[in-house]
């Protein structure tokens, strides 16, 4: 479903990705690990379509389409979801209103009828259980005054409602205590099925105790330097990244 | 130019959707202004002698005054002799029902989304429509009169309720108050008049739509609202104009009187033609709005300003009575080459008076947006309180936001709070929404609407939706 070939990208004239090759099939969970500055966040931003990141070479094919030609909103409507490392606050815009708009954009794109307020609320009620999110957060403005953990939960909650086919989790575990980590991981696991795929970007192995990847890739200096199964994560935990770079 | 700026430039250029001209025969007097013109206007309106004298006094005063230039506005000098000071749809015979109104005129209002028909009853909004200078129809007059409420055009009020006009006209904004108020006092053509009797709660929103149609015409309306003791009323005005290359002058005066224990709410959705993308044409909007609040009375101004090439407007409240309350909630959006210098004046005279100011300025394109506000605490205003919050939001990097707060305190028991912020719509906020499938244009509109929420909450329900749509429309082309 996702085919990345020799992807190169830069930001502010600085080359970050130096030829990434990665193939993600339906239902697969891929973990991308690597030291700080290895290009993990750049990769997620490039895939999501953030314009400050300039693709300088290579290609990305998503369900047969050239992903790089599409603006960010069109990628999202096609089912690509990025759980942000640092979710922004948007004062005055309620979470629910925002999420309903987002869902309906996707539905319109897929030729489905827009969901009305009553159906949407029913859906929200059902999805709230997935991440154990507090009801009061939903009527509050997007992420405003949320704690770090609440922001991350909100990302997973949005993911649950939007049901992406490819979800990219950009260091969703950073700054979470063990309980929040478990909630986030449970959310991901309950959404996972044999059609949707996950790209889990993380710095630490501990998230992978809960979300079990099919593949682990180690990113260093903008390239994948090693690929393995879930046991690679444990090896990295023990040895660090130095032996690979 | 950064990516963001390019995006932003592309969302803020939008066609003005009310820019059509209605083809209707008008009775327009030749351009120019002198005492004879003032007499002619008064004669055309068959006004009583006292009003003609009042106008002439104002005119003579105006001649000695100079156009003020202290505002943060830049425009070519206005030639007051090139405008016509009276234009009316030709059919001037008395209209008994809407069926007699020129259908072309009714179609105009339909295009503007203002059904004058009785269907409006369902919406619970009584509408008075002012086309160029004359009021054409007032809906629900009968229903309101059962409660003793007077809601009619200013001209009708002059004929039918001269005592009230004589008593209140100029009592809040004296004819010589300022240059534009003096001009208005001399040549005002029509407007709305509202009187709510003692203890009456007006059961519906009262609304006036102003429309400038004729070319090279100034519009000078006069609105006077009197809420007698313990009454309540909520009033809304909306404004549009055709798209024309030359600038048109609009100098209105609004006077509000809120008697003991009364509650008066005045909301404006101003969408005069703002000029084109290059700053050509557009309405020059120089407006004086002021209310006086007596003991335990309240006056609340809410304004959503998205139109006009130039906006010069400071709706204020004189808190004369003890325990009176004044409020000002404002959203002012400027785009392309628009300039706005707007804010409020809260004059605390009575004891325990309280005022709240919430101003949200949004600048896009090459526009300039200034907040200018005065909070004055008189020496007898024991325990007066004011809270001011002035926020500016910048879209792109070619616009300007300015804040000019004036505070003048003569009583040491006063408590004043002032908060001010300036922010930019962040690229990360736009990207966040993009990533959820929302286009950049919708994202900007969503962020801006969120930013204005505290003000929109103050608008009557049905107009809050209108205001949100208007804001989105006015932002079209500012990002893309």
């Amino acid at each position: 479903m996702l085919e990345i070939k020799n992807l190169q990208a830069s930001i502010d004239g600085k080359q970050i990705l130096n030829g990434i090759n990665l193939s993600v099939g339906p239902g697969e969970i891929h973990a991308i690990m690597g030291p700080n500055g290895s290009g993990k966040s750049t990769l997620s931003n490039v895939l999501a379509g953030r314009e400050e990141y300039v693709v300088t070479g290579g290609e990305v094919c998503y369900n047969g389409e050239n992903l790089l030609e599409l603006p960010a909103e069109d990628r999202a409507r096609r089912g690509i979801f990025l759980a942000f490392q640092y979710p922004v606050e948007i004062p005055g815009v309620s979470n629910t209103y925002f999420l309903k708009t987002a869902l309906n954009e996707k539905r319109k794109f897929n030729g489905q009828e827009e969901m009305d307020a009553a159906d949407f609320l029913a859906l929200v009620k059902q999805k709230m259980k997935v991440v154990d999110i507090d009801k009061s957060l939903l009527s509050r403005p997007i992420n405003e005054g949320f704690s770090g953990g609440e922001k991350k939960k909100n990302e997973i909650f949005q993911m649950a409602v939007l049901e992406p086919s490819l979800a990219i989790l950009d260091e969703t575990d950073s700054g979470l205590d063990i309980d929040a980590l478990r909630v986030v991981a449970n959310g991901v696991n309950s959404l996972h099925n044999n059609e949707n795929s996950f790209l889990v970007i993380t710095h630490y192995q501990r998230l992978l105790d809960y979300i079990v990847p099919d593949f682990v890739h180690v990113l260093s200096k903008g390239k994948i330097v090693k690929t393995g199964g879930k046991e690679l994560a444990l090896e990295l935990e023990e040895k660090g990244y130095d032996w690979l770079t | 130019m950064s990516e963001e700026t390019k995006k932003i430039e592309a969302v803020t250029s939008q066609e003005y959707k009310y820019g059509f001209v209605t083809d209707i025969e008008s009775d327009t007097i030749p351009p120019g202004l002198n005492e004879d013109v003032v007499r002619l206007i008064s004669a055309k309106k068959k006004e009583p002698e006292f009003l003609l004298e009042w106008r002439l006094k104002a005119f003579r005063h105006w001649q000695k005054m100079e156009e003020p230039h202290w505002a943060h506005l830049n425009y070519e000098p206005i030639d007051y002799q090139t405008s016509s000071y009276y234009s009316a749809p030709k059919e001037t015979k008395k209209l008994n029902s809407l069926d007699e109104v020129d259908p072309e005129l009714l179609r105009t209002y339909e295009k503007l989304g203002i059904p004058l028909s009785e269907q409006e009853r369902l919406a619970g909004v009584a509408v008075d429509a002012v086309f160029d200078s004359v009021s054409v129809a007032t809906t629900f007059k009968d229903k309101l009169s059962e409660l003793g409420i007077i809601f009619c055009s200013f001209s009708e009020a002059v004929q039918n309720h001269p005592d009230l006009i004589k008593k209140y006209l100029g009592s809040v904004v004296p004819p010589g108050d300022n240059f534009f108020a003096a001009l208005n006092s001399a040549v005002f053509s029509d407007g709305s008049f509202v009187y709510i009797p003692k203890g009456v709660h007006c059961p519906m929103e009262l609304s006036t739509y102003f429309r400038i149609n004729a070319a090279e015409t100034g519009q000078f309306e006069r609105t006077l609202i009197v809420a007698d003791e313990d009454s309540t009323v909520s009033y809304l005005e909306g404004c549009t104009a055709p798209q024309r290359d030359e600038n048109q002058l609009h100098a209105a005066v609004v006077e509000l009187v809120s008697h003991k224990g009364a509650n008066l709410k005045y909301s404006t959705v101003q969408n005069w033609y703002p000029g084109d993308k290059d700053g050509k044409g557009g309405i020059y909007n120089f407006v004086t709005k002021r209310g006086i609040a007596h003991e335990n009375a309240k006056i609340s101004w809410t304004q959503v300003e998205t139109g006009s090439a130039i906006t010069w407007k400071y709706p204020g409240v004189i808190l004369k009575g003890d325990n009176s309350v004044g409020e000002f909630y404002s959203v002012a959006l400027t785009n392309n080459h628009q300039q706005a210098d707007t804010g409020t004046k809260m004059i605390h005279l009575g004891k325990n008076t309280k005022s709240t100011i919430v101003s949200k300025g949004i600048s896009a394109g090459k526009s300039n947006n200034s907040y200018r506000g005065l909070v004055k605490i008189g020496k007898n205003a024991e325990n007066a309180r004011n809270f001011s919050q002035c926020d500016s939001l910048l879209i792109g990097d070619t616009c300007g936001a300015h804040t000019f707060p004036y505070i003048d305190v003569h009583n040491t028991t006063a408590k004043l709070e002032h908060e001010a912020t300036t922010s930019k719509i962040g690229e990360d906020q736009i990207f966040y929404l993009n990533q959820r499938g929302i286009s950049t244009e919708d994202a900007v509109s969503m962020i801006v609407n969120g930013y204005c929420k505290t003000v929109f909450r103050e608008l009557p329900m049905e107009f809050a939706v209108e205001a949100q749509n208007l804001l989105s429309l006015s932002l079209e082309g500012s990002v893309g």
Side-chain angles (χ1 to χ4, degrees):
Chain A
M1 106 193 303
L2 181 71
E3 214 48 67
I4 303 175
K5 281 186 199 148
N6 192 28
L7 181 64
Q8 297 152 53
S10 68
I11 182 161
D12 296 331
K14 200 177 155 208
Q15 196 67 28
I16 308 283
L17 299 185
N18 296 303
I20 303 252
N21 291 293
L22 180 64
S23 172
V24 178
E28 292 177 359
I29 298 181
H30 290 242
I32 300 201
M33 302 185 71
N36 286 329
S38 58
K40 299 192 299 289
S41 282
T42 299
L43 177 61
S44 56
N45 277 296
V46 167
L47 292 178
R50 189 155 188 157
E51 282 179 14
E52 298 96 296
Y53 293 83
V54 181
V55 174
T56 51
E59 41 190 271
V60 179
C61 187
Y62 175 71
N63 288 335
E65 278 187 282
N66 178 359
L67 192 68
L68 300 176
E69 272 182 353
L70 301 171
E73 62 267 32
D74 286 342
R75 300 183 195 192
R77 291 167 189 168
R78 281 166 172 77
I80 292 183
F81 181 92
L82 173 63
F84 285 77
Q85 186 178 2
Y86 304 109
V88 292
E89 302 189 358
I90 305 181
V93 180
S94 95
N95 239 330
T96 326
Y97 171 71
F98 149 67
L99 197 50
K100 181 167 167 266
T101 309
L103 180 65
N104 281 331
E105 287 292 347
K106 202 179 161 184
R107 291 177 69 93
K108 267 191 283 184
F109 175 80
N110 290 322
Q112 292 168 290
E113 225 176 282
E114 288 188 41
M115 199 176 261
D116 64 22
D119 288 347
F120 180 73
L121 281 177
L123 177 72
V124 159
K125 250 187 185 160
Q126 180 203 331
K127 299 290 185 182
M128 264 165 55
K129 294 181 199 139
V130 174
V131 283
D132 180 32
I133 193 165
D134 194 72
K135 201 175 161 192
S136 69
L137 295 184
L138 300 181
S139 51
R140 283 198 5 217
I142 304 169
N143 296 323
E144 205 184 28
F146 286 26
S147 71
E150 285 170 338
K151 282 183 184 172
K152 296 292 173 72
K153 273 193 195 175
N154 193 23
E155 294 292 293
I156 302 302
F157 170 68
Q158 292 174 32
M159 183 173 86
V161 171
L162 296 173
E163 295 180 338
S165 47
L166 173 69
I168 305 161
L169 275 59
D170 189 3
E171 304 207 19
T172 300
D173 52 334
S174 65
L176 290 188
D177 61 34
I178 198 74
D179 291 331
L181 188 74
R182 221 175 266 148
V183 168
V184 165
N186 286 343
V188 171
N189 289 330
S190 66
L191 293 168
H192 181 226
N193 58 38
N194 55 15
E195 279 170 11
N196 57 19
S197 314
F198 289 83
L199 212 52
V200 180
I201 292 171
T202 181
H203 196 71
Y204 301 104
Q205 187 270 336
R206 61 170 195 171
L207 179 64
L208 305 180
D209 287 341
Y210 301 99
I211 302 174
V212 182
D214 300 301
F215 300 94
V216 174
H217 310 275
V218 179
L219 198 60
S220 173
K221 294 179 185 139
K223 275 189 157 176
I224 290 176
V225 292
K226 193 167 176 64
T227 294
K230 62 179 189 240
E231 64 290 342
L232 178 57
L234 292 168
E235 202 178 342
L236 290 168
E237 179 77 358
E238 201 183 309
K239 298 188 188 167
Y241 294 108
D242 287 349
W243 61 287
L244 288 169
T245 56
Chain B
M1 200 188 292
S2 76
E3 271 307 309
E4 186 196 4
T5 321
K6 266 190 265 171
K7 272 200 275 182
I8 284 162
E9 290 242 317
V11 183
T12 6
S13 38
Q14 165 252 330
E15 301 255 326
Y16 183 71
K17 89 175 200 205
Y18 305 104
F20 57 87
V21 179
T22 305
D23 187 15
I24 201 160
E25 257 195 284
S26 309
D27 172 18
T28 304
I29 65 172
L33 182 57
N34 53 49
E35 264 197 41
D36 289 340
V37 170
V38 176
R39 284 176 196 280
L40 183 63
I41 293 169
S42 191
K44 274 191 183 287
K45 305 182 82 65
K46 304 188 178 64
E47 287 176 351
E49 189 61 28
F50 84 87
L51 199 50
L52 173 63
E53 284 310 314
W54 196 85
R55 285 178 181 275
L56 289 171
K57 218 170 122 188
F59 180 72
R60 287 164 197 150
H61 199 106
W62 178 74
Q63 284 180 306
K64 289 184 221 122
M65 296 175 97
E66 271 183 39
E67 198 184 292
H69 287 285
W70 40 259
H72 191 79
L73 300 169
N74 229 320
Y75 55 96
E76 293 290 305
I78 301 169
D79 185 347
Y80 293 91
Q81 297 304 330
T82 55
S83 264
S84 164
Y85 288 83
Y86 184 82
S87 173
K90 213 154 202 175
E91 199 71 33
T92 50
K93 77 175 164 63
K94 185 110 178 93
L95 302 171
N96 291 317
S97 83
L98 284 171
D99 303 340
E100 295 172 35
V101 175
D102 187 325
E104 190 63 26
L105 204 56
L106 288 180
R107 268 196 290 280
T108 299
Y109 284 110
E110 248 166 58
K111 270 196 225 175
L112 296 171
I114 316 154
L116 285 174
S117 59
E118 288 296 318
Q119 291 165 14
E120 262 303 83
R121 189 190 299 275
L122 297 169
V125 182
V127 181
D128 181 26
V130 178
F131 191 84
D132 282 337
S133 299
V134 195
S135 179
V136 281
T138 305
T139 55
F140 294 121
K141 209 177 286 182
D142 295 345
K143 194 173 170 194
L144 293 169
S145 67
E146 281 168 27
L147 293 163
I149 293 170
I150 304 167
F151 176 39
C152 62
S153 71
F154 201 92
S155 310
E156 271 179 80
V158 168
Q159 302 302 327
N160 302 333
H161 311 280
D163 43 331
L164 286 173
I165 296 293
K166 208 168 178 174
K167 182 171 172 190
Y168 290 107
L169 180 65
S171 67
V172 189
V173 180
D177 186 78
N178 67 68
F179 182 82
F180 296 105
L183 177 62
N184 173 286
S185 301
V187 301
F188 73 86
S189 32
D190 212 332
S192 282
F193 175 76
V194 176
Y195 174 79
I196 313 289
K198 269 185 199 172
V200 171
H201 298 269
C202 185
M204 57 180 80
E205 304 281 342
L206 301 180
S207 169
T208 300
Y209 268 82
F210 294 104
R211 172 85 179 160
I212 297 178
N213 188 58
E216 282 159 21
T217 318
Q219 181 149 333
F220 305 93
E221 329 88 42
R222 188 103 200 170
T223 298
L224 174 58
I225 301 178
V226 179
D228 217 326
E229 288 180 17
D230 299 315
S231 67
T232 61
V233 61
S234 170
Y235 179 93
L236 183 118
E237 65 166 4
C239 336
T240 58
Q243 208 160 327
R244 295 187 187 280
D245 284 347
E246 67 276 8
N247 298 107
Q248 283 180 286
L249 180 63
H250 173 253
V253 171
V254 175
E255 296 179 277
L256 308 182
V257 180
S258 193
H259 280 291
K260 192 175 162 184
N263 190 338
L264 205 170
K265 185 176 172 71
Y266 192 104
S267 315
T268 305
V269 175
Q270 187 263 109
N271 186 24
W272 295 119
Y273 177 54
D276 70 8
K277 244 164 66 175
D278 305 314
K280 195 165 187 209
I283 302 289
Y284 284 176
N285 193 30
F286 292 94
V287 175
T288 307
K289 292 182 162 177
R290 195 176 303 147
I292 187 160
H294 293 276
E295 200 183 326
N296 295 316
K298 180 174 169 184
I299 289 179
S300 182
W301 295 101
T302 305
Q303 58 171 29
V304 177
E305 305 274 318
T306 61
S308 298
I310 285 177
T311 301
W312 180 98
K313 180 177 166 186
Y314 316 92
V317 182
I318 300 168
L319 298 145
K320 189 181 174 203
D322 293 348
N323 311 312
S324 56
V325 176
E327 292 175 342
F328 175 75
Y329 298 96
S330 169
V331 166
L333 183 148
T334 53
N335 197 351
N336 298 320
H337 290 266
Q338 281 178 275
Q339 304 175 62
D341 192 298
T342 184
T344 183
K345 288 182 186 177
M346 292 291 175
I347 315 288
H348 293 252
L349 301 176
K351 295 183 181 67
N352 305 314
T353 46
K354 224 172 102 182
S355 64
T356 304
I357 298 170
V358 177
S359 162
K360 303 274 183 178
I362 303 145
S363 337
K366 293 185 169 64
S367 70
N368 258 301
N369 201 324
S370 306
Y371 167 81
R372 187 183 303 276
L374 167 69
V375 177
K376 186 173 177 170
I377 313 286
K379 64 177 195 299
N380 297 322
E382 295 288 321
N383 300 315
R385 299 196 60 169
N386 163 265
F387 171 76
S388 301
Q389 184 187 342
C390 303
D391 298 328
S392 309
L393 186 69
L394 299 164
I395 303 178
D397 49 15
T398 52
C399 53
H402 318 271
T403 306
F404 305 98
Y406 303 84
I407 293 170
D408 184 8
V409 179
H410 298 274
N411 185 310
T412 53
T413 62
K415 276 190 193 147
L416 281 81
E417 284 175 73
H418 184 97
E419 288 177 11
T421 65
T422 302
S423 50
K424 266 187 93 166
I425 288 196
E427 202 167 339
D428 48 349
Q429 289 177 322
I430 293 175
F431 179 65
Y432 189 81
L433 298 177
N434 283 160
Q435 212 300 306
R436 299 299 187 250
I438 296 165
S439 70
T440 300
E441 198 164 303
D442 291 345
V444 168
S445 162
M446 197 180 262
I447 295 166
V448 169
N449 273 305
Y451 169 81
C452 298
K453 199 167 210 173
T454 45
V455 173
F456 287 162
R457 251 200 320 247
E458 299 297 324
L459 283 174
M461 197 49 176
E462 54 273 51
F463 301 115
V465 178
E466 185 182 328
Q468 284 188 25
N469 293 339
L470 188 59
L471 216 59
S472 307
L473 262 179
S474 306
L475 275 169
E476 251 172 50
S478 75
V479 196

